[in-house]
Amino acid sequence: MTQPPCSPYPSGLTGPRTVEERWEQFYRYGPYAVLTLSVIVGAVAADLIMTRTEMYAAGVLVVAAYGLQGWWGRTRQRTAPGAPAGVAYYAMRTLLAFALSWLNPFFAIYAALSYFDVEPLLPRRAVRIGLLTTAVTLAGSQSGGLPPASLMNWVAFCALYLVNTSLALFFWHLGMREEEKARVQVETIAELERTNLRLEEAMAENAALHAQLLVQAREAGVDDERRRLAAEIHDTLAQGLTGIIAQLQVVTSLTDRDPETARVHLERAAALARHSLGEARRSVHNLAPVALEHDELAGALKKTVADWSEQHRVRADFTVTGTVEPVHDEIAATLLRIAGEALANAGRHSGASRVGVTLSFMDDELTLDVRDDGRGFDLATATATPADRTGGFGLGGMRARAERIAGAVEVESEPGGGTAVSARVPLVRHPVNSTAAAPGQTPPARRTVPS
């Protein structure tokens, strides 16, 4: 069927460009070859089906056909598809082919050209007319010549015309569909190229953003490490030095009156100094508190509460509820630091006579409560001033520690009503290999610490 005058494929592909060039060669030289072939075949059969007058008339029409083709060869390059010059060339060639086929049916070979270039020559609305007109010439030639000589010839002409028109329209519609498919493919390829370009731009932008995020993450890591070290120093060195100062103050006041008691306080101060030195080294290396080296969380908290009670001479009770389980090191260290800070605040500021510490194991949560019956404070003032009066981290530090492991710290207090600090963190269990059951044995039951 017809071939579009321009290739539907990108110019960078070798195959489609070759096909386009071949069609260009056919449009330029094909009509001469087809006309010459029809003249040769018609001349061979001229003596059998043509009179002398018809031969002369056919000769004149052939000369006119060659002249028409020569004119179109010079005009075609300057004529756009569907232009009036192309329509005129198609119409004159169709009429010449019809007249030649009337004189000699073998000239229908020349008339068949109108099937191949109907699309580039005629406007789209006139393509069907061109196909139906060409089918008349071909059906007449196939049925024995024009005009039909008998009823049988007329029947054959009608049947062949129907076949020719059906085939011509079918292949034309098929060509239109292929052209539409090719157009969609071109648009799809163009859209893919645009999408790839946008993707490359987005990837370049993402690379720049990634580099920026790396810088920000590095800066955030530095800031986080600074905050961690500051909190560790506050929870270890600052608290230890406060205890040492308190012990030395007692020694100063008792040196002359009670040397034995002064010696006990000096030993406590030395022990606090050694403990603070060990905690400082562990803070630098980001290790767990020393209290967790030999005890689990419950045992470490119990010892911490007992040491605080002995140091401050304040009654402090420690209670565990629920089923005690091994806790992840980070969770245990965080709760131990929060407990130490809460007890340190109670010892420095509350003037309490009794403190209670409760560790509660629940299904998926750990709760640490530190309560005292001291003088309390105004929460609004404490919230407006995150750092405590000694320059420490206080409540803000406890909240930051809990939030780092997806927990939270709540504080309840009022002047004269004591203080309650409650820390809630997720219960992340730590596997204990040493208590794992051997094959065929029952694993050890979990331990409940009595209140």
Side-chain angles (χ1 to χ4, degrees), residues 36 53-54 58 73 86 88 121 133 147 162 168 198 216 221 256 269 274 276 279 301 316 373 388-389 399 402 448:
T36 302
T53 302
E54 291 174 340
L121 294 176
T133 303
L162 181 61
R198 290 194 296 267
Q216 293 176 352
D256 297 331
R274 287 191 295 270
S276 297
E279 289 289 0
L301 279 173
D373 60 355
D388 60 26
R389 289 173 296 180
R399 290 193 175 100
T448 301

Side-chain angles (χ1 to χ4, degrees), residues 335-421:
L335 287 181
L336 189 59
R337 294 301 192 201
I338 292 175
E341 175 65 17
L343 289 172
N345 289 339
R348 287 196 300 267
H349 309 304
S350 71
S353 62
R354 183 176 180 180
V355 174
V357 179
T358 302
L359 178 65
S360 301
F361 286 83
M362 290 175 276
D363 291 338
D364 56 355
E365 191 175 60
L366 268 176
T367 302
L368 174 69
D369 297 300
V370 181
R371 305 170 305 282
D372 67 64
D373 60 355
R375 63 178 62 94
F377 59 92
D378 186 358
L379 280 175
T381 303
T383 303
T385 310
D388 60 26
R389 289 173 296 180
T390 63
F393 285 76
L395 302 179
M398 290 189 285
R399 290 193 175 100
R401 284 187 178 277
E403 291 171 357
R404 191 176 295 125
I405 57 173
V409 171
E410 297 179 359
V411 180
E412 296 180 2
S413 183
E414 61 181 11
T419 302
V421 177

